[in-house]
Amino acid sequence: DGYRARVVCDRGDFAEYWALREGAHRIREEARRANTRGRSEAARRALATLRPGDVIFLPSARRRGLAVVISSREGRPTVLTQDRRYFRLVLDDFDAAPRAVARIDLPRSGSARSARVRRDLAAKLATLRVRPPRQRRASFDPTAEKRAAEIEHEAAQHPCHACPDRSEHERWAARASKLEKDAAALERRIRSRTETLGRQFDRVLGVLEDLGYVRGFTLTEKGDRLRRIYGEGDILVIEALTDRLLDGLPPSEFSALVSTLVYESRERTPSRPDIPTRTLRTGYSRLMDLWRQVRRAEDARQVELCRELDPGFVPTIFEWAEGKPLDDLLAASGLPAGDFVRNCKQLLDLLRQIQEVAEPDVAPVARAAYDSINRSVVSYTGV
């Protein structure tokens, strides 16, 4: 209140003027964050395409210079630099998507831990005559910039814009805005920690009513099916079955698509895998649309029941269900054998539940998918 008292302007309503200024800034900031997310995703995809022997340019100040890819695992290459250091790349190493500027032959034997191998590779890098790729300017959203400029123009026409004390008023208004944001964040934390079980129940019940699982305190047919599915993705399972999204899939694609509901990558910023078939890509896209519908219903009730889908296990489990050998899968995916088996067990548990609630024409496919996964090392300890 004290800060707000400092921004009283005799030219007009300074709060109204400041709201325009903040609105323009907010539009640009949201566009900037969206652009940053887009560049990070492009860099992640580019990293996944790099292969051993590719030479790239590292732009960051602490690692600036040429480096050669010596291996790649889970879309994150390990490189050796001109000064003989080797490490695994992360997204923070790049401002834009990296690309290969040259290729060199790697030794057929030896390890990057070997001083001789590192010396020879560093010498090869030193002989290369390549220019660093030109950095593209950060793109911006012209629609957002146009809208922000329109709001700024509107602010420039406001009576307070011509106030001789405007800069002083703006300093106090900025302080007040920061305090309001801080207070709002604290209030959200307090609400999340003190919210009663009853309120949470009402919110969950509201989501179930909005999605057609409950009518009053009575379960609908969808609700009766939902109560027989256990796990974070339970609502999405029933939504997919109701939408007939799993119809007509062969067992391997059925298993792969269902895996997106249970798999959770251990990476902080998981890479986006190559989904192996067009049918799977279409099915995953439709499943993401269903997830967005559920998320909108959850957001409207201020609750979160379903986590986002994770397609990281799709290529691996698809190949396993197709009958590929375990050693080949582990080598391609980089998954430890224990993690592979654990993820298969979780998927088997969900496939077994789907058999019990699926339509008569879908249940046999769920059973066949179950059988295609439950073989060899996965079946040794039972489910």
Side-chain angles (χ1 to χ4, degrees), residues 131-188:
R131 292 182 178 181
R134 296 180 62 181
Q135 295 292 325
R136 296 180 180 179
R137 291 184 177 181
S139 59
F140 69 97
D141 184 345
T143 303
E145 180 58 33
K146 180 181 178 182
R147 177 59 183 148
E150 289 173 350
I151 295 175
E152 284 185 335
H153 179 73
E154 186 179 349
Q157 307 305 311
H158 196 280
C160 291
H161 188 73
C163 176
D165 299 321
R166 176 165 62 89
S167 60
E168 179 72 10
H169 291 162
E170 286 176 345
R171 280 196 293 273
W172 288 105
R175 293 175 183 177
S177 294
K178 183 179 184 305
L179 272 186
E180 285 182 340
K181 291 176 183 176
D182 291 345
L186 287 171
E187 287 174 351
R188 285 195 298 271

Side-chain angles (χ1 to χ4, degrees), residues 8-19:
V8 174
C9 180
D10 59 6
R11 299 295 183 94
D13 186 346
F14 198 87
E16 181 181 74
Y17 169 76
W18 185 245

Side-chain angles (χ1 to χ4, degrees), residues 158-365:
H158 196 280
C160 291
H161 188 73
C163 176
D165 299 321
R166 176 165 62 89
S167 60
E168 179 72 10
H169 291 162
E170 286 176 345
R171 280 196 293 273
W172 288 105
R175 293 175 183 177
S177 294
K178 183 179 184 305
L179 272 186
E180 285 182 340
K181 291 176 183 176
D182 291 345
L186 287 171
E187 287 174 351
R188 285 195 298 271
R189 287 177 61 190
I190 291 169
R191 282 198 303 270
S192 68
R193 296 186 181 188
T194 60
E195 188 174 53
T196 66
L197 182 60
R199 287 181 181 175
Q200 184 73 2
F201 176 83
D202 288 340
R203 290 178 177 180
V204 173
L205 184 61
V207 172
L208 296 177
E209 287 178 334
D210 294 342
L211 295 176
Y213 292 92
V214 173
R215 190 175 296 112
F217 276 89
T218 303
L219 291 178
T220 62
E221 181 181 350
K222 282 176 67 176
D224 188 61
R225 298 170 82 188
L226 179 64
R227 70 182 178 83
R228 291 186 283 166
I229 299 291
Y230 302 92
E232 285 184 281
D234 52 0
I235 290 178
L236 275 175
V237 170
I238 302 304
E239 290 296 312
L241 291 173
T242 303
D243 204 50
R244 309 295 293 185
L245 193 150
L246 300 171
D247 287 18
L249 294 178
S252 55
E253 292 182 336
F254 193 102
S255 301
L257 193 55
V258 173
S259 76
T260 64
L261 298 164
V262 294
Y263 179 72
E264 190 169 5
S265 173
R266 294 190 177 188
E267 289 189 329
R268 182 172 298 177
T269 53
S271 57
R272 183 68 64 180
D274 292 328
I275 297 178
T277 71
R278 179 181 297 179
T279 302
L280 268 177
R281 290 192 290 272
T282 301
Y284 177 69
S285 177
R286 289 178 59 195
L287 197 56
M288 277 298 298
D289 288 341
L290 287 179
W291 175 80
R292 293 187 188 98
Q293 293 174 22
V294 173
R295 179 50 54 89
R296 283 194 292 269
E298 293 170 351
D299 288 344
R301 299 287 182 170
Q302 298 180 322
V303 69
E304 184 173 327
L305 305 176
C306 293
R307 65 172 175 81
E308 189 170 353
L309 303 174
D310 190 332
F313 200 45
V314 166
T316 304
I317 200 62
F318 174 79
E319 298 288 353
W320 178 251
E322 288 278 297
K324 297 296 175 65
L326 178 64
D327 289 345
D328 293 349
L329 295 182
L330 297 183
S333 67
L335 273 176
D339 286 355
F340 171 77
V341 172
R342 176 179 57 81
N343 288 313
C344 285
K345 298 291 188 183
Q346 293 176 339
L347 176 56
L348 287 171
D349 186 46
L350 182 56
L351 288 171
R352 183 168 54 189
Q353 295 174 45
I354 290 175
Q355 292 175 51
E356 298 176 1
V357 300
E359 299 292 340
D361 57 334
V362 176
V365 185

Side-chain angles (χ1 to χ4, degrees), residues 320 326 340-342 344-345 348 367 370-383:
W320 178 251
L326 178 64
F340 171 77
V341 172
R342 176 179 57 81
C344 285
K345 298 291 188 183
L348 287 171
R367 177 65 199 182
Y370 180 99
D371 292 338
S372 69
I373 302 300
N374 192 33
R375 65 180 179 86
S376 184
V377 66
V378 178
S379 66
Y380 289 164
T381 57
V383 180

